[in-house]
């Protein structure tokens, strides 16, 4: 009698777990295939240039390295990212560089939550940047655009300089 009860209980549990698994699998949307492997370039906060290489780790994840070049010393970053949905990608950059003055390292942690455009192979969106070290600690936000590229396009706006000349004329009496 006891064996029949246990067998019935196992059958009920198997049916419940099986239906939950089928529901989870059916509820997942199929993503448009996208390969993150390759060379990526981009721009953040105006004139900060980004350049690096990513490799794929499974269907949704990628990792790599990135160099961030601004007016001062370049920062070397490690990158880990994940494609969350059809268009949402979350990437984390861990960067460090020597302090501009004195010894030590400035460490930056960047979290990018961007929109993936499969057609143009671009990730763009807001990033939160937490800088620590060198006697400072601050958090800021920025817009980041990176694109998979074979040749570097001009993603960063180039600074424009305007000049004006003022001419004055005086007439003598």
């Amino acid at each position: 009698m006891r064996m029949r009860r246990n067998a019935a209980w196992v059958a009920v549990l198997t049916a419940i777990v099986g239906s939950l698994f089928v529901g989870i699998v059916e509820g997942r949307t199929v993503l448009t295939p996208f390969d993150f492997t390759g060379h990526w370039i981009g721009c953040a906060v105006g004139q900060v240039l980004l350049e690096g290489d990513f490799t794929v780790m499974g269907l949704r994840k990628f990792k790599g390295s990135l160099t961030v070049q601004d007016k001062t010393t370049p920062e070397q970053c490690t990158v880990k990212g994940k494609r969350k949905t059809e268009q949402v990608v979350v990437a984390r950059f861990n960067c460090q560089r020597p302090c501009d003055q004195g010894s030590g390292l400035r460490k930056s942690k960047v979290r990018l939550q961007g929109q993936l455009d499969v057609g143009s192979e671009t990730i763009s969106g807001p990033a939160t940047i937490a800088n620590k070290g060198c006697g400072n600690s601050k958090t800021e936000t920025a817009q980041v655009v990176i694109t998979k590229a074979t040749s570097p396009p001009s993603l960063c706006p180039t600074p424009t300089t305007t000049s004006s000349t003022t001419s004055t004329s005086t007439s003598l009496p």
Side-chain angles (χ1 to χ4, degrees):
M1 187 69 147
R2 187 173 234 187
M3 290 284 278
R4 285 188 181 172
R5 231 185 301 157
N6 286 342
W9 182 246
V10 168
V12 168
L13 282 176
T14 303
I16 291 171
V17 170
S19 65
L20 287 174
F21 179 74
V22 169
I24 290 170
V25 170
E26 287 178 358
R28 287 211 148 178
T29 59
V30 177
L31 297 176
T32 305
F34 186 77
D35 185 8
F36 289 96
T37 301
H39 191 70
W40 289 76
I41 58 170
C43 180
V45 196
Q47 292 298 311
V48 178
L49 301 174
L50 311 171
E51 186 171 0
D53 297 298
F54 299 160
T55 56
V56 174
M57 300 172 39
L59 296 174
R60 295 178 175 230
K61 295 181 181 180
F62 60 94
K63 69 176 183 176
S65 62
L66 196 68
T67 301
V68 178
Q69 177 68 50
D70 61 2
K71 297 176 190 108
T72 60
T73 310
E75 284 186 70
Q76 298 301 316
C77 307
T78 58
V79 178
K80 286 186 180 181
K82 183 175 183 180
R83 186 176 182 189
K84 295 290 205 172
T85 65
E86 183 70 27
Q87 294 180 327
V88 176
V89 173
V90 175
R92 296 182 190 279
F93 309 162
N94 289 311
C95 311
Q96 59 184 357
R97 72 173 181 199
C99 295
D100 295 333
Q101 297 175 351
S103 63
L105 288 175
R106 185 184 110 190
K107 296 180 181 182
S108 301
K109 290 188 177 192
V110 180
R111 183 181 187 276
L112 166 66
Q113 182 160 346
Q115 294 292 314
L116 173 65
D117 185 336
V118 174
S120 65
E121 298 182 320
T122 302
I123 301 170
S124 61
T128 304
I129 306 160
N131 294 311
K132 290 184 180 179
C134 302
N136 296 323
S137 178
K138 70 178 182 175
T139 301
E140 57 188 342
T141 58
Q143 280 297 115
V144 174
V145 177
I146 57 174
T147 188
K148 189 174 179 181
T150 53
S151 61
S154 177
L155 291 176
C156 295
T158 55
T160 56
T161 56
T162 57
S163 61
S164 62
T165 56
T166 308
S167 64
T168 56
S169 63
T170 54
S171 57
L172 295 173

